[in-house]
Amino acid sequence: MSSPVPHIVIDAPHGSDVVASPAPELGWRTETTTPDWLQAVAGIEITRDGDLSTHRIDGRASTRIAWPFAPLTPREQVSLRVRVTGEDGVEGAWSAPRRVVAGFLGDDEWQAATIGLASPSETAQPAYLRTEFEAIGAVTRATLYATAVGVYQVAIGGIDVDDQVMKPGWTPYEQRTIHETTDVTALIAEGRNAIGVRLAGAWATERFGFRDSARPLYGDQPRFAAQLLVEYADGSSEWVVTDASWQASTGPITASGLYAGEDYDARSALVDGDGRGFAEAGFAAEGWEAAAEQEPIHTPEARVSPFVRRIEELSVQQVITTPAGRTVLDFGQNLVGRLRLRVSGPAGTELTLRHAEVLEHGELGTRPLRAAAATDHYILSGEGLEEWEPEFTFHGFRYAEVEGWPGEFDPADVTAVVIHSDMERTGWFEASDPLVNQLHENIVWGLRGNFLYLPTDCPQRDERLGWTGDIQVFAPTASFLYDVRGFLDSWLRDLAIEQVDGVVPFVVPNALGVARPAAAWGDAATVVPWVLHERYADVATVERQYSSMKGWADVLIDLAGPRRLWEGMFQFGDWLDPDAPPHLPANAKTDGDIVASAYLFRSADAVARAAALLGRDDEARQYAEIAEEVRTAFLAEYVTPAGRMMSDAQTAYAMAIVFDIAPADQQETLGARLAELTRLSGYRIGTGFVGTPIIQDALTRTGHLETARRLLTQTENPSWLYPVTMGATTIWERWDSMLPDGSINPGEMTSFNHYALGAIGDWLHRVVAGLAPDAPGYARLRIQPHPLAEFDHAWAEHLTPYGTARAGWTRADGVVRVEAVVPPNTTAVVVLPDGHELEVGSGTHQWEMEDAAPPAAASRIDLDSTLAAVIDDLDAYRAIGEVLEAANPESAHAFRTNTKWSERRELGEALFMHAGPDTQREIAERLAELSAKREGARVDA
């Protein structure tokens, strides 16, 4: 037995000790090699102002623990330690101390005026602000609180105060703004000091909306506010605050916008004749004007969400000269960020950098950007080697076109800088299929690119909005891959703010006008808080969001009326169903009313469960009864007694099964029809945003694992792997954002970085690898792997609130080996592939069992075989396709995409419309060869 060692976790942004609450929740992960270890007692020790106090916890509780001490006061610094004792009686040593800093302001402490340029010459004019102050003694501590309606960076003494990017991000500025809390003690010297601010508009001044409705929402100029508390060794302190005594100017950042990009003229650097920069004391501020006080910023609150930082740098993989003679850099990965240049040349030389996600016909594919120019300009100062990176914009790109480079171009002088919210990575997955691994990597990069202060739909075009439907379906996948609790906690606060009479807008923050209800989009209000409870045991967020959840559900209940069906209204529906025309993305096979009523059930049920969790028993019963009424109405209206959905489409069946609307005794029938529809389509995906996250669960839950495998591994369009075969490195918005001929989908909205269709990641983790929570926060795990035919292995690993968990399987020599790692202080329910079920404690476990025989291919396929037999026999299907492709590629395409692979039609009949007699004869010969080869192999065996 080993002594248990706890590691403290607090509610602070990743890599920070600064908390936003006087009573932050805390927890710890315990490391021990003792098997079946469970905590019996924990002691929490706090050191504050030299005094020690402790709190005892009996039992297993070790995550999301309510603050057990007196509330923190502003700027208070305390130290925590934890010691745990297991049920085996072994007491561990005290943990390493964990520093906690109170990052919030006291009541009425915010006193900074809001300032900006007095006479800007342009809309969204970037600005530079400065002041100087005297530190009148030895400084023991200095804390900066700063915010903006816009984006900013502060430098003191010419040194940036932190490494954050584009702070404070985007919130509904009129109701909620965020301040950073930064310890700047090391930057303050006794005597004269200077503070300098670089400021631009970004989200605050961007023109949000589509076409003629685009407009800035928060004013046409950025504005800034800050206050610095300087504490001295003699016990005195003073505030330095923004006010009209500050100075303001324009400078080298001459224009900046999220969509447009950034312009920088290095000849206008704010350096005086003595070489001092504008953020240094003594700078000669000639030509600067007094800053103007602006409309006050809403009193800011401390940060809950993660910081945004520069996370990674990528080098140029290839330099391409396009057919038009342009120089394009390929970074090998679709990413979100900007370029950093190292360049020297004559003063006044202008570099132009254009960004795009793809090439089309060998040139930069900019049409999907719509009105976003995504173009940066840099004008050289001519003073030796210059280094530059845009500061207040970002782009979604894999390719960058460089124009105007002076002299010989060296690709080593350009680096792509990846930026996103700095969250702790918590989840990994691998399988033996390299295409599936690339799919999973694309999911990860899609999250990284669209989690930049808020969960956006896309990072590149003139949109980049917090679409609620996208995160509603993707939250389970996201919560496995990264610790997104604080990120989504913060965004949900904005969602509640933006609700109007319970209605959740399409996007949060709401940049698209009057909020209107839409199924699967507004349901983010009920689904996302429950995901945080399921994955992190986060009850506090559910409690805070409960009125928001209930408000949304009440809207839907009122809309449904006594029929308990949400009908006849606008819906996005199963958005981007692959059969919808490019210009009509809502025209799905599944009727929008079915989607709406299914989500009415889901939200009513979610509110019932939340009410029960919070001890609101009367409301729990009320909403559970409503959910049952919706279920009854849904089944009567949309499901026939024989088990057919009125919309005979994959998404309709998947919702009825996975949302548990259909009773258990009917789900098998629904699942059989879902599997049949999937085979009829040639194992091509037929779902949009609503059905895609759940179709694989619907198939596996009803016993159709092989159908799910075929759907997963399909490479023809539409499928998850088709983009991978086309070179995708992120998840696409459309199944066919890039057409097979290399041209961009003609639809008006075509993004190559859109995580919603990557929601299959959750199924890969939970079902294929078999790692899932069986109790909130993984207090109990469910280890239930599903070995897929033709795969040799799959595994998933997740850093749970209790520690690292792992599940997976390998296949070799007729044996399947299942492996699991269960973290200390948890247990796991294990369901093995052979059906054996058991419960285990913490530690490493292995089980072996005989491998189930894979589905046998028909020994003989010929023109008399059914189409179902053909599509279930990949070798035969591919042989037919090869012959058709050689004879007539258009006929081959039509045969693959238009054929209904039915058990009641024969191959010869289907070929009649696609192949002449000679081609049919050649197909018959190829199939005969294949059948003979199989017969020979069986005889030899």
Side-chain angles (χ1 to χ4, degrees):
M1 295 186 294
S2 68
S3 177
V5 180
H7 300 272
I8 299 174
V9 178
I10 60 170
D11 262 351
H14 180 47
S16 172
D17 299 325
V18 180
V19 298
S21 165
E25 293 186 334
L26 57 94
W28 51 90
R29 296 182 175 109
T30 300
E31 291 184 3
T32 177
T33 59
T34 301
D36 302 325
W37 190 89
L38 294 174
Q39 176 183 292
V41 177
I44 309 173
E45 176 193 86
I46 187 171
T47 302
R48 58 198 318 172
D49 295 328
D51 295 329
L52 290 177
S53 59
T54 59
H55 177 79
R56 175 186 171 102
I57 293 177
D58 292 314
R60 290 176 55 188
S62 64
T63 184
R64 311 300 309 168
I65 303 295
W67 184 256
F69 306 108
L72 299 170
T73 58
R75 292 169 295 283
E76 183 178 11
Q77 300 183 52
V78 303
S79 179
L80 298 176
R81 296 197 303 171
V82 171
R83 181 168 61 188
V84 297
T85 302
E87 290 186 350
D88 57 6
V90 176
E91 181 181 66
W94 285 104
S95 70
R98 178 63 190 263
R99 180 170 174 260
V100 179
V101 179
F104 50 89
L105 286 158
D107 294 341
D108 301 322
E109 271 196 325
W110 182 253
Q111 52 188 290
T114 301
I115 61 173
L117 286 172
S119 51
S121 59
E122 304 287 344
T123 299
Q125 176 73 58
Y128 294 79
L129 309 170
R130 72 181 308 275
T131 194
E132 295 191 14
F133 67 95
E134 195 81 20
I136 58 176
V139 177
T140 58
R141 189 179 182 190
T143 306
L144 175 68
Y145 303 89
T147 190
V149 175
V151 289
Y152 73 95
Q153 180 55 288
V154 175
I156 298 177
I159 300 172
D160 287 355
V161 300
D162 57 37
D163 62 354
Q164 294 175 231
V165 174
M166 300 193 72
K167 56 190 180 183
W170 185 17
T171 54
Y173 294 124
E174 293 170 348
Q175 293 87 21
R176 180 174 180 245
T177 57
I178 305 300
H179 69 71
E180 309 301 332
T181 305
T182 310
D183 184 342
V184 295
T185 308
L187 301 180
I188 306 295
E190 186 172 352
R192 199 70 177 165
N193 291 269
I195 303 173
V197 179
R198 308 186 294 276
L199 177 67
W203 295 280
T205 56
E206 190 53 76
R207 293 175 59 83
F208 291 117
F210 301 118
R211 294 172 289 276
D212 294 341
S213 66
R215 69 196 192 286
L217 301 178
Y218 308 104
D220 59 7
Q221 297 296 334
R223 51 197 198 274
F224 172 79
Q227 53 191 59
L228 170 67
L229 178 62
V230 182
E231 301 175 64
Y232 296 107
D234 64 2
S236 64
S237 64
E238 64 174 324
W239 288 98
V240 178
V241 302
T242 48
D243 56 25
S245 70
W246 283 52
Q247 297 171 297
S249 176
T250 57
I253 303 177
T254 56
S256 184
L258 290 184
Y259 299 162
E262 192 158 290
D263 296 349
Y264 190 96
D265 188 343
R267 298 171 300 180
S268 301
L270 296 175
V271 179
D272 67 15
D274 294 325
R276 286 186 291 261
F278 82 104
E280 295 180 81
F283 171 76
E286 297 174 1
W288 286 58
E289 61 183 4
E293 293 198 12
Q294 309 282 347
E295 178 185 351
I297 291 175
H298 188 275
T299 301
E301 60 188 62
R303 174 169 299 285
V304 173
S305 63
F307 307 128
V308 170
R309 290 188 169 110
R310 300 169 180 88
I311 304 296
E312 185 176 351
E313 296 183 0
L314 299 179
S315 59
V316 175
Q317 299 299 301
Q318 184 181 8
V319 179
I320 300 167
T321 301
T322 73
R326 298 184 175 95
T327 299
V328 170
L329 312 181
D330 177 6
F331 291 91
Q333 172 64 54
N334 197 17
L335 62 98
V336 173
R338 52 269 186 119
L339 300 181
R340 181 183 298 136
L341 311 179
R342 286 163 36 94
V343 61
S344 58
T349 302
E350 182 172 348
L351 296 181
T352 300
L353 311 173
R354 300 181 181 90
H355 306 76
E357 297 182 297
V358 296
L359 300 180
E360 185 177 33
H361 309 310
E363 303 290 345
L364 211 61
T366 58
R367 180 174 60 81
L369 301 177
R370 299 190 304 214
T375 301
D376 301 324
H377 298 94
Y378 179 73
I379 299 177
L380 276 67
S381 68
E383 298 178 0
L385 184 63
E386 304 176 41
E387 185 170 310
W388 177 69
E389 172 191 332
E391 184 167 23
F392 296 128
T393 191
F394 62 85
H395 310 291
F397 68 101
R398 171 176 172 168
Y399 300 93
E401 180 183 300
V402 179
E403 180 183 334
W405 192 274
E408 184 177 353
F409 176 72
D410 183 350
D413 288 333
V414 181
T415 301
V417 181
V418 178
I419 67 171
H420 57 76
S421 290
D422 187 7
M423 304 163 291
E424 183 177 15
R425 181 75 186 267
T426 57
W428 298 265
F429 171 85
E430 183 186 293
S432 55
D433 187 324
L435 295 181
V436 172
N437 288 340
Q438 184 61 54
L439 168 67
H440 192 267
E441 188 69 5
N442 293 359
I443 295 168
V444 173
W445 275 94
L447 180 154
R448 294 177 68 181
N450 284 290
F451 275 43
L452 199 158
Y453 286 119
L454 68 153
T456 55
D457 59 330
C458 61
Q460 74 297 93
R461 68 183 180 222
D462 57 344
E463 198 164 347
R464 313 184 198 188
L465 304 176
W467 282 94
T468 50
D470 299 53
I471 191 58
Q472 184 267 131
V473 300
F474 191 69
T477 298
S479 64
F480 185 91
L481 295 173
Y482 284 87
D483 181 355
V484 298
R485 201 214 64 78
F487 180 91
L488 293 178
D489 173 347
S490 179
W491 181 77
L492 284 168
R493 296 172 194 231
D494 295 339
L495 182 148
I497 288 170
E498 296 282 37
Q499 275 180 273
V500 178
D501 297 327
V503 177
V504 177
F506 300 156
V507 297
V508 173
N510 184 10
L512 297 181
V514 177
R516 291 185 292 161
W521 272 249
D523 298 278
T526 56
V527 173
V528 176
W530 196 254
V531 170
L532 296 186
H533 172 59
E534 179 185 69
R535 303 304 174 97
Y536 302 103
D538 185 354
V539 177
T541 297
V542 175
E543 185 166 22
R544 190 194 66 240
Q545 295 295 127
Y546 180 73
S547 61
S548 164
M549 299 172 72
K550 184 173 175 292
W552 171 251
D554 288 346
V555 167
L556 306 191
I557 292 164
D558 288 345
L559 292 173
R563 276 175 54 78
R564 292 299 192 233
L565 296 172
W566 185 5
E567 304 168 299
M569 298 182 64
F570 165 82
Q571 299 293 347
F572 291 111
D574 196 23
W575 186 252
L576 288 172
D577 178 317
D579 293 321
H583 61 293
L584 295 172
N587 279 20
K589 296 183 290 295
T590 299
D591 189 276
D593 286 354
I594 294 181
V595 173
S597 292
Y599 269 92
L600 165 60
F601 171 83
R602 192 177 188 196
S603 278
D605 180 63
V607 173
R609 286 182 283 122
L613 174 70
L614 301 175
R616 301 170 180 260
D617 296 339
D618 289 344
E619 289 182 332
R621 282 190 294 271
Q622 173 191 351
Y623 285 94
E625 289 170 1
I626 292 171
E628 284 304 311
E629 292 168 3
V630 174
R631 182 203 308 274
T632 300
F634 184 98
L635 295 173
E637 190 78 12
Y638 300 127
V639 185
T640 72
R644 286 288 185 97
M645 298 293 303
M646 296 303 292
S647 284
D648 193 29
Q650 290 173 338
T651 293
Y653 289 93
M655 289 190 301
I657 295 166
V658 175
F659 294 175
D660 281 319
I661 301 173
D665 60 0
Q666 196 175 39
Q667 289 191 15
E668 183 177 345
T669 301
L670 294 169
R673 179 56 182 168
L674 173 59
E676 183 180 17
L677 287 172
T678 305
R679 183 173 62 190
L680 284 169
S681 70
Y683 297 105
R684 291 175 179 80
I685 195 72
T687 56
F689 275 31
V690 170
T692 297
I694 58 176
I695 183 173
Q696 296 290 70
D697 274 305
L699 288 167
T700 50
R701 183 188 291 190
T702 54
H704 300 283
L705 180 64
E706 175 59 14
T707 302
R709 182 193 71 84
R710 287 292 305 273
L711 196 58
L712 169 67
T713 57
Q714 173 67 269
T715 57
E716 295 178 359
N717 179 37
S719 67
W720 280 289
L721 297 186
Y722 164 73
V724 175
T725 67
M726 294 292 289
T729 59
T730 43
I731 299 297
W732 293 353
E733 179 176 23
R734 298 175 183 267
W735 295 109
D736 59 350
S737 286
M738 179 74 74
L739 302 182
D741 65 1
S743 60
I744 297 170
N745 187 292
E748 183 182 357
M749 29 165 268
T750 301
S751 159
F752 293 88
N753 194 349
H754 233 85
Y755 54 63
L757 299 181
I760 188 179
D762 186 51
W763 178 80
L764 293 173
H765 308 146
R766 287 185 297 101
V767 178
V768 176
L771 180 56
D774 198 58
Y778 293 85
R780 184 175 61 250
L781 283 66
R782 187 168 190 85
I783 308 293
Q784 189 173 2
H786 290 74
L788 300 179
E790 301 183 14
F791 281 61
D792 295 327
H793 72 265
W795 59 263
E797 185 173 293
H798 181 57
L799 180 61
T800 76
Y802 295 88
T804 298
R806 183 182 172 100
W809 52 272
T810 58
R811 168 186 280 126
D813 301 323
V815 174
V816 170
R817 177 181 290 109
V818 173
E819 299 181 355
V821 175
V822 179
N825 205 29
T826 69
T827 61
V829 174
V830 180
V831 182
L832 297 173
D834 61 5
H836 184 59
E837 186 170 338
L838 64 156
E839 187 160 348
V840 299
S842 65
T844 301
H845 307 273
Q846 290 187 359
W847 302 271
E848 290 186 355
M849 65 223 68
E850 184 178 349
D851 192 5
S859 60
R860 186 168 188 81
I861 294 286
D862 55 30
L863 298 184
D864 294 329
S865 297
T866 68
L867 290 171
V870 171
I871 199 62
D872 285 342
D873 188 328
L874 267 178
D875 291 334
Y877 173 77
R878 288 168 178 160
I880 296 165
E882 289 170 5
V883 175
L884 287 172
E885 192 73 31
N888 187 326
E890 291 183 3
S891 292
H893 175 74
F895 177 73
R896 285 192 296 263
T897 58
N898 297 335
T899 299
K900 297 297 182 185
W901 302 91
S902 168
E903 291 181 325
R904 306 199 59 180
R905 291 188 63 202
E906 295 179 353
L907 173 60
E909 176 192 353
L911 286 174
F912 176 77
M913 298 297 295
H914 302 285
D918 291 343
T919 303
Q920 291 187 45
R921 189 179 308 109
E922 187 176 351
I923 289 173
E925 291 171 357
R926 284 287 300 275
L927 293 177
E929 291 172 6
L930 176 62
S931 298
K933 184 178 179 180
R934 287 176 175 171
E935 289 291 346
R938 293 187 181 184
V939 169
D940 292 342

